[in-house]
């Protein structure tokens, strides 16, 4: 595992010198120290990042052909649930200049797949004939499945075992920025109260907060890259920590994670800044998840010089671990952590791959 961590660290420095970053991107002193220590004498035991506790499960493979796995979640039974694009690929011709979808009709294959966590066998699949371009998936603690479709510009809530939505946000194939329209929404985070948050998304760069019945309560953020917490550039992944009343956002094109007050204890606090974390390899941060006070995420890609998974302490922002498969990630797009914190799945696209990691620690991530 030392060589994996060494390679990831070298990739970090390679990315820094190989690309030009906006002026608000910088290495802070603590991160530089962590990288220097990691590259130091491992026999002396001085590295601030311990040997990775995530072990790739190379024996696990889905027993089904999946397209681009844009989203992954866990259901209440601890089974992984994947949202994939079947034969469809998002490229420069998929949308026109006004963000209208140009990629064809609804996908005729099942794009939501529930797998057995040990064998990879298919337990259930559904969703054919409904979706244009799948993106995010969240299964809440009551078993409801929340899906975002960037082609439809909509968000859906499906009750357990149902294939008809009980709640729909946005107007089908009509992008917009008002209170009733969305534009390429990316992901959803759901609180135990039923309040939920939507990343909206590629066009609007805002976080919307809704009551359980879909009534818009508040919104946060604006399009930008000035380094302020509210300046977002593709809010791509969401993760909620109710114990801290925090909502964290994978601010993809700003190469960072922004954590704000979720406002669950006091509505007036929604959007108050808490912490900003830069991606450890200076690449775009695609998705994040939270468990037991630790934030895990995936950042970077082949075109950025490399990709990695990372683990950070949510209380102080310290980088705890960098990790990945033995052969390396390509374009990791989605991540999910099991309820007990022992299993992590990552959806990788181009080439399409699902990675399973086992956390080698009884306390989880």
């Amino acid at each position: 595992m030392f060589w994996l961590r060494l390679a990831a660290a070298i990739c970090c420095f390679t990315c820094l010198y190989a690309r030009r970053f906006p002026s608000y991107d910088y290495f802070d002193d603590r991160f530089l120290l962590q990288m220097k220590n990691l590259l130091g004498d491992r026999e002396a035991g001085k590295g601030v990042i311990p040997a990775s506790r995530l072990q790739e499960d190379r024996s696990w493979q889905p027993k089904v052909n999946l397209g681009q796995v844009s989203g992954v979640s866990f259901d209440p039974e601890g089974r992984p649930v994947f949202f994939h694009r079947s034969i469809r690929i998002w490229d420069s011709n998929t949308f026109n200049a006004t963000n209208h979808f140009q990629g064809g009709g609804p996908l005729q294959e099942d794009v939501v797949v529930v797998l057995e966590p040990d064998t990879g066998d298919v337990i259930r699949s559904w969703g054919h004939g409904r979706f244009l371009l799948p993106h995010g998936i969240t299964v809440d603690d009551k078993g409801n499945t929340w899906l975002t479709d960037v082609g439809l510009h909509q968000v859906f809530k499906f009750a357990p075992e149902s294939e008809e939505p009980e709640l729909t946000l946005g107007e089908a194939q009509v992008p917009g920025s008002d209170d009733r329209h969305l534009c390429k929404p990316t992901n959803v985070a759901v609180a135990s109260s039923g309040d939920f948050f939507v990343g909206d998304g590629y066009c609007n760069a805002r976080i919307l907060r809704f009551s359980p019945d879909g009534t818009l309560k508040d919104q946060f953020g604006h399009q930008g890259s000035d380094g302020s917490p509210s300046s977002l550039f593709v809010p791509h992944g969401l993760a909620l920590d109710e114990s801290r009343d925090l909502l964290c956002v994978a601010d993809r094109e700003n190469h960072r994670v922004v954590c704000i007050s979720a406002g669950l204890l006091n509505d007036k606090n929604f959007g108050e800044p808490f912490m900003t974390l830069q991606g450890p390899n200076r690449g775009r941060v695609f998705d994040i998840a939270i468990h037991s006070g630790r934030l895990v995420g995936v950042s970077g890609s082949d075109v950025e010089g490399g990709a990695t998974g990372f683990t950070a302490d949510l209380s102080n922002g310290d980088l705890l671990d960098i990790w990945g498969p033995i052969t390396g990630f390509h374009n990791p797009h989605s991540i999910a952590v099991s309820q007990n914190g022992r299993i992590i799945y990552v959806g990788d696209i181009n080439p399409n791959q699902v990675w399973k990691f086992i956390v080698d620690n009884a306390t989880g991530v």
Side-chain angles (χ1 to χ4, degrees):
M1 295 307 297
F2 170 77
W3 297 113
L4 174 61
R5 295 187 293 119
L6 177 61
I10 292 172
C11 173
C12 294
F13 287 104
T14 301
C15 289
L16 175 65
Y17 291 107
R19 302 180 63 219
R20 294 182 178 179
F21 295 99
S23 60
Y24 57 86
D25 274 333
Y26 58 90
F27 269 120
D28 61 38
D29 291 341
R30 180 174 58 195
F31 188 83
L32 280 174
L33 177 61
Q34 290 174 337
M35 289 296 99
K36 289 177 181 178
N37 286 342
L38 176 61
L39 291 168
D41 185 2
R42 62 172 172 154
E43 299 302 326
K46 296 179 180 179
V48 298
I49 304 176
S52 179
R53 294 183 293 110
L54 272 68
Q55 305 297 323
E56 177 189 355
D57 184 353
R58 305 190 72 188
S59 66
W60 188 88
Q61 291 293 331
K63 302 298 194 303
V64 61
N65 291 325
L66 299 174
Q68 292 184 341
V69 178
S70 59
V72 57
S73 188
F74 280 91
D75 68 12
E77 287 74 41
R79 303 175 301 193
V81 188
F82 299 98
F83 197 28
H84 73 104
R85 295 173 180 163
S86 182
I87 61 173
R88 188 152 290 161
I89 294 175
W90 187 350
D91 60 26
S92 60
N93 298 314
T94 303
F95 292 91
N96 64 16
T98 58
N99 294 307
H100 289 84
F101 183 74
Q102 307 292 299
L107 291 163
Q108 296 305 308
E109 296 78 22
D110 285 341
V111 292
V112 183
V113 180
V114 184
L115 297 183
E116 208 286 324
D118 294 323
T119 66
D121 291 331
V122 177
I123 296 174
R124 180 188 176 211
S125 66
W126 56 281
H128 63 275
R130 180 180 295 276
F131 299 99
L132 295 180
L133 193 58
H135 199 276
I137 181 171
T138 299
V139 183
D140 66 25
D141 58 6
K142 297 178 178 61
N144 300 302
T145 299
W146 301 76
L147 302 170
T148 67
D149 189 309
V150 292
L152 288 169
H153 305 287
Q154 289 181 302
V155 174
F156 304 94
K157 175 188 177 183
F158 294 85
E161 305 302 322
S162 174
E163 296 186 18
E164 293 296 326
E166 68 173 38
L167 179 66
T168 301
L169 302 179
E171 183 178 355
Q173 299 192 66
V174 180
S177 58
D178 58 30
D179 290 353
R180 295 187 303 158
H181 290 86
L182 306 169
C183 190
K184 299 177 185 172
T186 53
N187 226 314
V188 177
V190 186
S192 57
S193 65
D195 277 15
F196 62 97
F197 305 85
V198 173
D200 180 41
Y202 283 88
C203 317
N204 295 324
R206 59 183 179 173
I207 307 301
L208 304 176
R209 181 184 177 187
F210 295 89
S211 62
D213 65 359
T215 300
L216 179 63
K217 298 175 68 173
D218 209 343
Q219 58 183 294
F220 168 85
H222 63 275
Q223 183 82 35
S225 298
D226 62 19
S228 65
S230 61
S231 180
L232 305 176
F233 195 175
V234 187
H236 197 262
L238 301 179
L240 187 63
D241 185 345
E242 293 196 55
S243 68
R244 290 176 168 82
D245 195 22
L246 287 182
L247 177 70
C248 293
V249 182
D251 186 12
R252 195 186 78 176
E253 298 302 308
N254 284 330
H255 303 200
R256 64 180 186 169
V257 178
V258 175
C259 296
I260 60 174
S261 171
L264 299 174
L265 301 179
N266 186 338
D267 287 341
K268 296 180 179 179
N269 294 336
F270 174 62
E272 291 185 357
F274 174 75
M275 178 187 299
T276 298
L277 307 173
Q278 296 292 151
N281 63 351
R282 314 305 298 164
R284 295 175 295 169
V285 181
F286 282 82
D287 201 14
I288 52 175
I290 293 173
H291 189 279
S292 300
R294 292 181 175 179
L295 183 144
V296 295
V298 285
S299 66
S301 64
D302 283 345
V303 298
E304 294 165 82
T308 188
F310 65 93
T311 305
D313 189 326
L314 197 54
S315 63
N316 55 27
D318 282 348
L319 182 66
L320 302 176
D321 195 5
I322 50 177
W323 48 269
I326 293 175
T327 56
F329 288 125
H330 294 280
N331 299 278
H333 190 271
S334 55
I335 188 171
V337 181
S338 63
Q339 290 89 334
N340 62 9
R342 298 299 308 279
I343 304 295
I344 293 177
Y345 287 97
V346 173
D348 201 341
I349 61 177
N350 298 330
N352 304 327
Q353 176 99 26
V354 175
W355 307 96
K356 179 181 179 181
F357 298 90
I358 299 173
V359 182
D360 188 22
N361 186 303
T363 60
V365 298

